Amino acid sequence: MTKASDLFVQCLEEEGVEYIFGVPGEENLDMLDSLSRSKQIRLILTRHEQGAGFMAATYGRHTGKTGVCMATLGPGATNFVTAAAYAQLGGMPILMVTGQKPIKKSKQGRFQILDVVAMMDPITKYTHQLASADNIPSRIREAFRLAEEEKPGATHLEFPEDVADEQTDSKPIKRSIARRPTAESKAVRAAVEKLEKAKAPVLVIGAGANRKLTGRMLLQFIEKTGTPFVTTQLGKGVIDETNPKFLGCAALSANDFVHKAIEAADLIVNVGHDVIEKPPFFMKQGGTEVIHVSTRSAEVDPVYFPQIEVIGDIANAVWQMKEDIVPSGRWNFDRMMAARAAELKHSATLAGDSRFPILPSCLVREVRAAMPADGIICLDNGVYKIWFARNYPARQPNTVLLDNALATMGAGLPSAMASAMVYPDRKVMAICGDGGFMMNSQEMETAVRLGLNITVLILRDDSYGMIRWKQANMGFKDWGLTFNNPDFVKYAESYGANGHRVDSADDLPRLLRYTLDTPGVHLIDCPIDYADNDRILNNEIKELSAKL
């Protein structure tokens, strides 16, 4: 016979779990004791459950394996809600384990008790209360299976303390060998025929394409056919964006050069489309036709109703299309490439402006120059995300971690920490606004304690700048969105990290190089000027692209 909490940890070990991120409470103590004897799983103690959830989700995003996090009942479980939604909408596999009071006999009434399973139901793929130790192996196997199955997402198990103390003769269930189904050959043939008859096809690469091997197959398809490609924000890096066939990233909702490039197409191959992202094009009756290539069939709505669907493993589907297609001599991509050239010309006019406080265009240029091709930037959420999505060429998959799904603030720092754990030999930078950074800034202590090598670049404008920008766009007065900040250099040093401040435009490249090349946790306080956002993003780009 085995104690239930010991069996639970054995099942996690059978799944290949390396880390559990979390803040244990009284109701987790049996599991914590069992975990202390594991030679495989390392507990990563965080300072807030939300940070633990973001770290687990980012681990899943990088590896494709389920990230595991742990919290107590009640307030610990409620602190997981944002992380659950972040993983669920963003397609990141996680398992949240929460404790609970004894469910068979309790002397504490309803103290701290919420229906956590019901709370998690709308924001997870699977949620379950363990009522018997005998069921632990099957429930854990099911949670991992569903978390990792397309589309990946969040799962949750509630582990009451009386169940954790039970004895059982159950044993862990081994992982099954499961392969995604391949696309049906007739669907592939139909797609290829449509492509061969087109005059100006374009690829749109979305969130679902950001998986292992997909980029390799897409690159081979592009090299054979010469087809240009666009990415969504969550599709960045699937293919090296210094590729001459790259047309840009759809960071703005409309009226950008990239939208003009898409309008020049007479056929769109939409790879890995996820309805969580606003599409960079809207379909209309009699308009440009669309081929939907994904692991899941299209969710049809008034602006998305593809004519052909190629459903199955995306990498395999693209490979089949590449093998079958004969490039057409009638294809003409001149209008698309002209739109890209116009965008690059406009961006070049902004790049040389070295005013201080730093302008977003200058910031993006300097960060790209400092980061190696495999370096990872982890963006929190703010208006700077638009600048990085548009102007930062991603060289490899999952090297630009931004959230264009839930788009929560507070994930930038924990995401960078998990990235540094998964890839300890790569350069990692968190890029956060002052608002987003302060939402989980306590995890600086965790990063220092873990001995991580990360740079935290804080873009300080002393306000919630994204909303302030929108407020101005809507003609409202500037009100209610400014605040004061701590001395970020001293704040970093109080955690045992290294604090730095940018005092001029010339300071920035020097500090970026120094912090990336020097071990430890580094924070850079960088004043930023968003005064030209409205002129550039709302007016200039719209006017220039409209002339094409």
Side-chain angles (χ1 to χ4, degrees), residues 189-210:
R189 183 88 275 274
V192 168
E193 285 180 353
K194 183 71 75 173
L195 271 163
E196 290 175 345
K197 291 175 182 176
K199 295 178 182 177
V202 68
L203 292 170
V204 175
I205 300 172
N210 213 342

Side-chain angles (χ1 to χ4, degrees), residues 78-91:
T78 59
N79 281 346
F80 267 161
V81 167
T82 301
Y86 173 76
Q88 181 75 352
L89 271 61

